[in-house]
Amino acid sequence: MSGVWVFKNGVVRLVENGAAGGGEAARKRKALVHTPSGQVVRSYAELEAELRALGWERYYEDPALYQFHKRGALDLISLPADFARFSSVHMYDIVVKNRDSFRVVDI
């Protein structure tokens, strides 16, 4: 990620890729792509199917979260229950824990 550090009203924040003039609207949207198939993940059902194929198990304990755990590992993926709140932070968490299977792209 690249950008410019902006200091405003006593707060420092990173504005990515020259979005300083346009704010949130100028930022590029991100998408999670399943690398082997090249398909964009558009729902939790699709994501869950791909994660299960990679050995991840879903926890159903907290209805406010989609949580996945890989048996024999310490990794845990926690996602908001509402797919509309699925952000690039969650996407990169999935990519880091499944490097060869997912990537994040600009759309």
Side-chain angles (χ1 to χ4, degrees):
M1 290 197 266
S2 63
V4 178
W5 288 99
V6 177
F7 182 79
K8 185 176 181 181
N9 298 329
V11 177
V12 176
R13 66 183 176 94
L14 178 64
V15 178
E16 294 182 24
N17 298 328
E24 293 293 323
R27 286 191 187 178
K28 292 181 182 178
R29 294 190 55 206
K30 306 283 186 189
L32 183 66
V33 175
H34 181 247
T35 305
S37 67
Q39 297 295 317
V40 173
V41 175
R42 300 191 185 276
S43 70
Y44 279 147
E46 292 176 11
L47 178 60
E48 185 173 355
E50 298 300 343
L51 289 174
R52 282 185 185 273
L54 294 170
W56 291 86
E57 299 174 359
R58 180 159 175 218
Y59 286 156
Y60 293 92
E61 295 170 2
D62 188 350
L65 295 172
Y66 270 73
Q67 291 186 314
F68 297 92
H69 176 261
K70 200 166 197 175
R71 192 177 298 265
L74 297 175
D75 292 334
L76 179 70
I77 298 172
S78 293
L79 309 171
D82 182 9
F83 191 75
R85 297 185 64 219
F86 184 63
S87 70
S88 61
V89 172
H90 302 108
M91 293 178 199
Y92 283 113
D93 185 35
I94 293 168
V95 169
V96 166
K97 294 171 182 166
N98 300 280
R99 292 189 187 277
D100 297 327
S101 299
F102 293 96
R103 62 188 165 99
V104 176
V105 298
D106 292 327
I107 56 171

